[in-house]
Amino acid sequence: MNSMLVLVATLLWSATALAQGLPPPSRTAYRCELDGKIVYSDSPCLGAEKLELQPTRGLNKSSGRVQVGADVQREHSREAFAEAVRPLTGLDARQLDQAGRRTRLSPELQQRCQRLDRELPLAERQERQATTSLARQEAQRQLWRQRKAYRDGGCE
């Protein structure tokens, strides 16, 4: 029963996202060092530092009036919907949005994304806990492969 409610909420959620016609912007960026220069990218690179970004959500005039565009209004509506169905789905707004995007993936890719959801935090922890440079390099290679598979598979 609970999985059926999650599916219905996800389908409703994804219908509003699909109506916009644009792919969702990535809120993940990577800080990479390439040839001694710092580069920021939405694609993972070897040894990258993962950054979670929060886009701006409108502009307040000096009068104190809040001005937001239609895209931000839609985002507020989706967040309110996610909060309303959270007791049924157990998912927050970001998780529900991600689940909605993943409904367009094949069942095999959906399973791969779920596996990567579990494996990525472990790989990030291994990279942080590596004690030798060789172990750190191997952990970074493994993490890069997993992040690339996550992005290329449409898991974001």
Side-chain angles (χ1 to χ4, degrees):
M1 177 69 174
N2 192 26
S3 61
M4 182 58 113
L5 292 172
V6 170
L7 177 63
V8 169
T10 301
L11 290 175
L12 287 171
W13 183 264
S14 61
T16 59
L18 290 174
Q20 296 174 24
L22 296 173
S26 175
R27 291 187 179 185
T28 302
Y30 299 94
R31 182 183 183 270
C32 308
E33 187 171 334
L34 301 173
D35 299 325
K37 294 182 180 178
I38 302 298
V39 178
Y40 295 91
S41 173
D42 63 345
S43 298
C45 59
L46 191 61
E49 175 186 351
K50 183 178 176 182
L51 307 171
E52 291 293 328
L53 305 175
Q54 188 68 320
T56 60
R57 300 185 60 164
L59 172 69
N60 295 339
K61 283 184 155 184
S62 60
S63 66
R65 221 173 108 215
V66 177
Q67 290 186 323
V68 294
D71 57 335
V72 175
Q73 289 173 352
R74 281 190 300 272
E75 190 172 327
H76 285 300
S77 295
R78 286 195 317 266
E79 288 172 355
F81 175 78
E83 197 57 38
V85 298
R86 187 175 189 161
L88 301 173
T89 64
L91 304 175
D92 64 22
R94 187 170 183 185
Q95 293 167 329
L96 191 59
D97 189 36
Q98 183 181 62
R101 287 191 307 273
R102 287 182 180 179
T103 59
R104 292 178 271 165
L105 301 176
S106 69
E108 294 81 19
L109 279 176
Q110 288 181 26
Q111 288 179 348
R112 186 176 181 190
C113 290
Q114 290 173 353
R115 181 179 49 81
L116 287 168
D117 285 338
R118 292 186 303 271
E119 291 175 357
L120 275 168
L122 298 174
E124 289 170 350
R125 188 175 326 123
Q126 281 183 320
E127 180 196 24
R128 283 192 308 272
Q129 294 176 345
T131 55
T132 67
S133 69
L134 185 61
R136 183 172 178 82
Q137 287 174 352
E138 181 54 36
Q140 287 175 341
R141 276 194 291 276
Q142 179 64 24
L143 182 57
W144 174 76
R145 284 191 293 269
Q146 288 177 329
R147 284 176 173 169
K148 186 163 176 20
Y150 190 84
R151 184 173 190 275
D152 294 346
C155 300
E156 293 183 313

